[in-house]
Amino acid sequence: MKPITNRYTELVGIDHPIVQEGLGPFRTPKLAAAVSNAGGLGTVSMPGMPTDLDAGARTFREHIEECASLTDRPFAVNIPVGVDSNGVVLPFTDIYIRTVLEARRVDQSLAAQLTVLTTSAGFPGDYIAMIKDAGMIHQHKVGSTRHAVKAAEAGVDVVIAAGFEMGGHAPSKAVHSYVLLPNVTEAVDVPVLLTGGARDARGLASALAMGADGVAMGTRFIASTANSDWHPTYIQAILDAKEGDDVAFDGVYGPCRGLKNAASLKLLSHQDGTGEAIDAVELTRWKIESMQRAQTTGDVTDGLVLTGQVAAAIDDIIDIAQFVPNMAAGAAGILRGLASALPDTEHAFA
């Protein structure tokens, strides 16, 4: 069966309209390379917000170079646009974006692979022109139609429509995928990806039927053989999750979705005013360290376990090399089957 090709796969240079979401704040180069090698688009995530941002930038660069050494296909990086209470972009965003652009500038072979930069959280503003001038494809994640239109008009190449059921940092407007995606695809002319709720061929077929050009997935790829850097206990927590085991809490950039445990319940109590008062900066650093601790040490009780609602439907560990092309082929088969079941329009109303 021929692969699904459309304006997104042609723009990015991939075989299948399937993207691995940003999954920080820990290591994802092996995972990203596996998705890219399978014909999708892998994404190297930023490594958190350490006190020493220069050290963080060096780590980010190392992860990018590791991914490039493991694949000869295109891959992306994901950098949230953090802002303070006054709307000023936080230093880590600027440093990480400039790290990516400099890495491409000094290494032409790397530039040929690292072709996509995804921003999320805050509006990328002046970085849109900077990314475009560097020759990169710019994807921006949004949680509302208004933000999608704003991003497209400002010049981003691809909009990622983020449904509220997604894992990790979720949109503050709390609009779910089946409402948000058709609204966004009707409102913008650039390619649109869906993130939130997709896990298999049916999710991809549904997204394409609603006007999307592909899907981005995070939770589904966490539970894979390629994700050998993350602690197996974290992965097992996702496999064990059932419907209702997830919760949205106050994250670093806004709402965040993960599993219910002592860490997420602590944040919920802080939100409703029943928990102990914590300094805002200290709280932000605790959240990031808690996320990293769950991923690195397997502390799924006192660490924040980020996952989407789709975890309730995931009970196996996949081989990405087989999964990505099979998912695309399955989606194509579903769409062809539905089309073949339609009545002959020439005689349907005779």
Side-chain angles (χ1 to χ4, degrees):
M1 186 176 290
K2 293 182 179 180
I4 297 171
T5 58
N6 56 29
R7 58 180 179 168
Y8 181 74
T9 59
E10 292 173 355
L11 173 67
V12 180
I14 56 178
D15 298 331
H16 311 297
I18 298 169
V19 176
Q20 170 237 322
E21 267 276 33
L23 292 169
F26 186 46
R27 299 178 58 88
T28 58
K30 293 178 183 177
L31 183 57
V35 174
S36 289
N37 284 333
L41 183 72
T43 301
V44 176
S45 303
M46 72 160 213
M49 290 189 291
T51 303
D52 184 348
L53 289 179
D54 289 332
R58 288 192 295 271
T59 299
F60 195 20
R61 177 75 174 267
E62 291 170 1
H63 290 182
I64 290 170
E65 291 176 349
E66 180 181 356
C67 181
S69 73
L70 297 172
T71 183
D72 59 1
R73 303 299 302 274
F75 67 93
V77 292
N78 178 75
I79 303 173
V81 180
V83 296
D84 63 18
S85 58
N86 297 315
V88 178
V89 174
L90 297 176
F92 81 87
T93 294
D94 185 77
I95 289 175
Y96 286 164
I97 289 178
R98 292 182 188 277
T99 294
V100 170
L101 301 186
E102 176 63 12
R104 282 173 40 89
R105 188 188 68 80
V106 301
D107 188 339
Q108 292 303 306
S109 62
L110 177 64
Q113 292 179 259
L114 177 51
T115 55
V116 181
L117 193 154
T118 301
T119 53
S120 56
F123 183 64
D126 294 340
Y127 294 105
I128 297 174
M130 185 184 300
I131 295 166
K132 186 177 294 290
D133 289 345
M136 297 192 76
I137 298 165
H138 184 186
Q139 303 183 154
H140 183 61
K141 188 185 301 183
V142 301
S144 72
T145 304
R146 180 173 66 86
H147 288 157
V149 171
K150 180 180 180 180
E153 290 180 344
V156 303
D157 301 296
V158 179
V159 165
I160 303 176
F164 191 53
E165 60 267 56
M166 69 172 289
H169 282 90
S172 60
K173 298 299 183 184
V175 183
H176 287 270
S177 294
Y178 264 71
V179 177
L180 179 65
L181 181 59
N183 290 348
V184 171
T185 58
E186 289 173 1
V188 301
D189 293 326
V190 299
V192 176
L193 302 177
L194 168 68
T195 185
R199 65 179 170 93
D200 57 16
R202 293 168 297 178
L204 175 56
S206 297
L208 294 173
M210 288 189 286
D213 297 271
V215 296
M217 301 185 297
T219 305
R220 175 63 279 184
F221 284 130
I222 292 174
S224 67
T225 56
N227 194 21
S228 58
D229 286 322
W230 291 31
H231 200 283
T233 303
Y234 190 110
I235 297 171
Q236 188 61 47
I238 289 175
L239 297 177
D240 292 341
K242 301 295 186 290
E243 291 179 358
D245 286 350
D246 66 288
V247 65
F249 51 84
D250 185 23
V252 179
Y253 318 108
C256 201
R257 185 174 302 282
L259 295 182
K260 291 177 182 175
N261 62 9
S264 59
L265 293 178
K266 175 181 178 180
L267 287 178
L268 289 174
S269 68
H270 177 72
Q271 286 173 229
D272 64 22
T274 61
E276 60 180 303
I278 306 175
D279 174 76
V281 174
E282 178 186 342
L283 181 60
T284 296
R285 197 165 299 282
W286 176 85
K287 291 174 184 177
I288 295 173
E289 291 174 350
S290 179
M291 295 170 188
Q292 290 175 322
R293 187 168 63 254
Q295 294 169 344
T296 58
T297 71
D299 183 357
V300 297
T301 299
D302 294 313
L304 292 169
V305 181
L306 306 185
T307 181
Q309 288 187 333
V310 74
I314 292 175
D315 58 9
D316 62 335
I317 295 178
I318 57 172
D319 177 350
I320 289 175
Q322 297 178 2
F323 176 82
V324 169
N326 287 348
M327 177 177 171
I334 290 170
L335 294 174
R336 290 189 179 98
L338 291 172
S340 67
L342 294 175
D344 183 345
T345 55
E346 183 177 349
H347 305 290
F349 302 103

